[in-house]
Amino acid sequence: MQLSAIEAFVAVCEHGSVRAAAAAMHLTQPAISKRIATLEAQFGHELFDRVGRGIAPTEAGRAFLPHARRLLAEIEDGRRALDSLSAHVSGRLGLALSHHVALHRMPPMLRRFVNRYPDVALDIAFLGSEAACESVARGHIELAVITLPRMPPEPLVQREIWPDPMRICVARDHPLAQATQPSEARLGDYPALLPEAGTATHALVAEALAARGVPLQAQVASNFLETLKMLTAVGLGWSALPATMIDDELIALEFPGLRIQRSLGAVHHPGRRLSNAARALLHALDGA
């Protein structure tokens, strides 16, 4: 059984089409189809239903998929184990970064890292925190540095690197900025500019305000905090942003007793061997 055929099978399952899988693997569509056909012949089961131009895993394909993922993860673990026999820090490091962490926390760290370890090939994916956790869980990414989920997905482990306090803020000419003592209840009168529902940041803000009886008005949602900052600065509503992002364009509103704080940090899979490069980056992050 060829490993390349199993890789093609998993790629088609995850990308939803032969075309997308071929693009991801830098192969032709006939090459992907040939590998799938070889695997099906070896198993004696059809792994995909092909209807028109669509393709979806059969019952046999769905049954085999978790085993295929585990096999690929074990092979990757084996590769890292061999690389780790040497103390030299080198090789590929699959790293996921959330956009906020990538822009506001990692540049100095990455600059020092690539200067110190020039033989490491960084393969960086910019993902939302939830998608990054899923990639780590599936073995696609070795390490993620993101906004940490409050309840880490099993079986991932996480470590906090930076506490990230957040502030409710508005444009300088917003009505709430003009009030001598703005009431948090008035937040419900204006649009909330927040990340999408389902994200850790949205849940933190919504729950903190719900505990004080403040509903969220229909909102503009974006997972890019820089976009939310711009929309807030032009007066479209209020937002909750990291304190480090608040500048002269914005006014942070003071509400006694209201505390919203995220945690930014690293996530990895405890059941998979970390490469020398991943351990070196974690060590550098611990000293950040």
Side-chain angles (χ1 to χ4, degrees):
M1 187 183 303
Q2 294 183 345
L3 184 63
S4 60
I6 297 176
E7 291 173 333
F9 164 74
V10 172
V12 173
C13 287
E14 294 183 346
H15 291 280
S17 73
V18 172
R19 180 180 180 180
M25 296 184 69
H26 306 290
L27 296 170
T28 64
Q29 293 183 54
I32 294 288
S33 296
K34 183 177 180 180
R35 294 181 186 189
I36 297 297
T38 299
L39 201 60
E40 290 177 326
Q42 290 176 333
F43 284 149
H45 289 278
E46 289 191 357
L47 299 175
F48 291 99
D49 284 324
R50 300 163 178 84
V51 180
R53 295 186 177 182
I55 189 168
T58 61
E59 182 179 359
R62 292 192 297 272
F64 179 59
L65 180 58
H67 300 281
R69 284 174 170 156
R70 283 197 295 270
L71 176 60
L72 295 179
E74 287 294 330
I75 293 295
E76 183 64 15
D77 274 354
R79 181 192 66 78
R80 288 196 286 263
L82 294 176
D83 289 343
S84 297
L85 291 175
S86 166
H88 185 57
V89 178
S90 61
R92 172 186 172 276
L93 172 57
L95 175 66
L97 300 176
S98 65
H99 294 276
H100 178 75
V101 167
L103 287 173
H104 296 278
R105 300 287 185 169
M106 289 299 289
M109 178 69 60
L110 287 178
R111 186 179 298 110
R112 292 192 296 268
F113 185 83
V114 297
N115 286 337
R116 184 171 182 181
Y117 303 111
D119 294 332
V120 174
L122 285 174
D123 185 0
I124 300 177
F126 299 97
L127 300 172
S129 297
E130 292 72 23
C133 285
E134 182 178 353
S135 289
V136 173
R138 290 186 174 184
H140 296 167
I141 295 291
E142 187 176 2
L143 187 65
V145 187
I146 57 174
T147 300
L148 297 177
R150 292 176 300 165
M151 297 293 291
E154 294 291 344
L156 303 183
V157 295
Q158 58 186 33
R159 62 173 81 181
E160 183 183 67
I161 307 298
W162 304 282
D164 196 34
M166 306 187 75
R167 306 287 296 278
I168 302 293
C169 56
V170 293
R172 301 189 71 86
D173 58 354
H174 191 279
L176 289 176
Q178 310 305 314
T180 304
Q181 291 184 322
S183 167
E184 61 198 36
R186 291 197 62 200
L187 292 173
D189 298 333
Y190 301 96
L193 311 175
L194 297 173
E196 295 173 356
T199 62
T201 301
H202 181 103
L204 279 173
V205 177
E207 290 176 11
L209 293 177
R212 291 170 167 250
V214 180
L216 296 183
Q217 192 186 124
Q219 57 198 270
V220 176
S222 171
N223 290 342
F224 296 95
L225 296 186
E226 289 70 24
T227 299
L228 295 178
K229 177 183 175 182
M230 180 275 293
L231 295 174
T232 304
V234 299
L236 293 186
W238 62 268
S239 188
L241 296 173
T244 53
M245 290 183 65
I246 296 176
D247 56 20
D248 291 343
E249 292 185 306
L250 301 172
I251 291 289
L253 303 178
E254 298 294 339
F255 300 118
L258 179 63
R259 181 176 182 271
I260 304 172
Q261 179 165 297
R262 308 188 304 175
S263 292
L264 310 179
V267 173
H268 66 91
H269 197 299
R272 299 188 178 124
R273 180 187 294 269
L274 288 175
S275 65
N276 288 346
R279 288 198 294 269
L281 183 55
L282 281 174
H283 180 72
L285 287 168
D286 286 338

